[in-house]
Structures are given as C-alpha cells and as structure tokens.
Amino acid sequence: MKNFFKDGIDTIVKFLVTQLGMTMFGTMLTLTIAGKALEKDNKNTFMLILVSLVAIILYLYLIYVHVWEKGAKDRIKVDTGRMERQSLKGLYLSLVANSLNILLGLIMVISRPFCDFVNNSKSIACQIFGASNDIARIIQGMYNGLLIYISPNGMELSPIFFLLIPIPAIAVSTFGYLLGYSNRKISKFFKSTDSRK
C-alpha cells in the first residue's frame, strides 16, 4: 500500500488538479448560460447542455492523458524488473482521486431518506444533505450544466446521480492505464482501416 501511494501520488495529484481546473472551467461556462437557459422556451438550454458536455469530455480526456502516461511509464518499469504488473492500477488511482466524490454521494444517499424538506428542512439530515449537495456541485463543476438542466433547485435531484458521476472518470482511468501499459493510443480505434491512399 505504501508503495502504491509513493508511486501513484503524482498521478493522483494530477487527477485532483485536473478536477479543480475543470470544475472552474465548467462552472464559469455554466454560469454564463444558466440564467437564460432556465427561462422557458429558450434556445440557451441547448447551449447549457452542450457546454457541460464539452467540459465533461475535456475533463475525461485530460484524465485519460495522465493515466495513459502512467501506464506507459509503468510498462517500462515492469519490463526492466523494477516493478510488478498491476493491471488495475488505473482503477485504484481513480478510486483514491475520486474518494471525496464517492464519499459525498454516499452521504447524500444515506441522509436523503431522513430529510423532509417540506415539514422540517432544518433537521440535521437535511443540513447534512444540503451541505454535501453544495460541496459536490462545487467540486464537480464540469457536470453543473447537466445537473442544473435536470434539477434547477438541486434538492429534487436524486442523490444517486452523485454516486454515478465518478463512474466515467473511473472507467476512463482504468482503460486509459491499460492502453498506456500496452502502448496503444485511443486514436488507433478511430483510424480508418482502408489501406488505399
């Protein structure tokens, strides 16, 4: 475990810095559009969703780049005998980097059934749920456009969404590491197989 953190801390920090940067990017883009997008029959709703999707795709691409590089470097270490192969290292790195996101999602899932916003919105369960919801929306800013579109006030949104949000990053990290380890780029899958020039 100590070796995992010693070897993977740089990638985990890159994940966290990427999430912070994309949170600010996604939030700023969403804030410029969100007010007008929530008005009925407004064409800005499409822009709100589009901006959020662009921020999410860019975030996942940056995660892929970081973890691909880690997988490629680890392959060299394995081939030279300095390290044992760890096929699920990308998964573990992403789980550690997304641990706060997962924890917030779990807190919301657990506290939401005990929260009654109509009759007792000042209960401890409601306060915990509300604080977790706010923090999750702040640190997952790249998803804000989609979340605002689904639920403008935020409290109607199922907390399950917040548990699902880390899944794309975890999947990209897992497969990106394996691709980097095997020295394959994702762009190979999109190249034409036609040999004619």
Side-chain angles (χ1 to χ4, degrees):
M1 191 64 136
K2 183 180 177 184
N3 289 338
F4 170 78
F5 282 107
K6 183 179 177 186
D7 183 55
I9 192 70
D10 60 330
T11 305
I12 293 168
V13 169
K14 286 179 184 178
F15 283 179
L16 295 173
V17 169
T18 299
Q19 182 171 350
L20 178 64
M22 291 311 300
T23 289
M24 291 189 292
F25 177 73
T27 301
M28 294 307 294
L29 288 176
T30 301
L31 288 175
T32 58
I33 297 170
K36 291 183 179 181
L38 295 176
E39 296 171 8
K40 289 187 177 181
D41 300 327
N42 196 307
K43 293 179 182 177
N44 285 329
T45 302
F46 171 75
M47 287 302 295
L48 178 68
I49 295 169
L50 181 66
V51 160
S52 188
L53 289 175
V54 167
I56 292 167
I57 290 168
L58 184 57
Y59 167 65
L60 294 175
Y61 174 74
L62 292 172
I63 292 292
Y64 165 78
V65 169
H66 295 317
V67 80
W68 190 95
E69 180 184 340
K70 182 66 176 165
K73 287 179 180 178
D74 283 357
R75 176 62 183 260
I76 295 168
K77 291 178 183 178
V78 169
D79 287 348
T80 58
R82 294 182 289 155
M83 183 177 154
E84 291 182 24
R85 182 177 180 176
Q86 300 172 350
S87 298
L88 295 177
K89 189 171 189 176
L91 171 70
Y92 300 145
L93 290 169
S94 191
L95 284 173
V96 171
N98 281 288
S99 58
L100 180 59
N101 300 331
I102 295 167
L103 178 65
L104 289 169
L106 286 172
I107 290 170
M108 282 188 276
V109 167
I110 292 167
S111 63
R112 182 65 177 105
F114 302 104
C115 183
D116 181 10
F117 286 111
V118 177
N119 297 321
N120 189 9
S121 64
K122 296 193 187 262
S123 69
I124 293 174
C126 288
Q127 298 299 319
I128 291 171
F129 177 81
S132 300
N133 188 312
D134 291 344
I135 294 168
R137 283 180 181 255
I138 290 169
I139 66 172
Q140 298 166 355
M142 64 291 277
Y143 292 92
N144 275 342
L146 291 177
L147 295 176
I148 289 170
Y149 176 72
I150 294 168
S151 174
N153 73 4
M155 296 303 169
E156 298 166 1
L157 186 65
S158 172
I160 298 297
F161 279 107
F162 291 97
L163 272 179
L164 298 177
I165 282 176
I167 291 175
I170 292 169
V172 165
S173 181
T174 302
F175 294 116
Y177 180 84
L178 293 173
L179 288 172
Y181 187 85
S182 60
N183 200 23
R184 293 184 185 162
K185 297 216 177 204
I186 200 165
S187 58
K188 278 188 171 182
F189 297 110
F190 299 109
K191 286 186 180 176
S192 173
T193 56
D194 188 5
S195 59
R196 292 176 292 169
K197 296 195 177 184

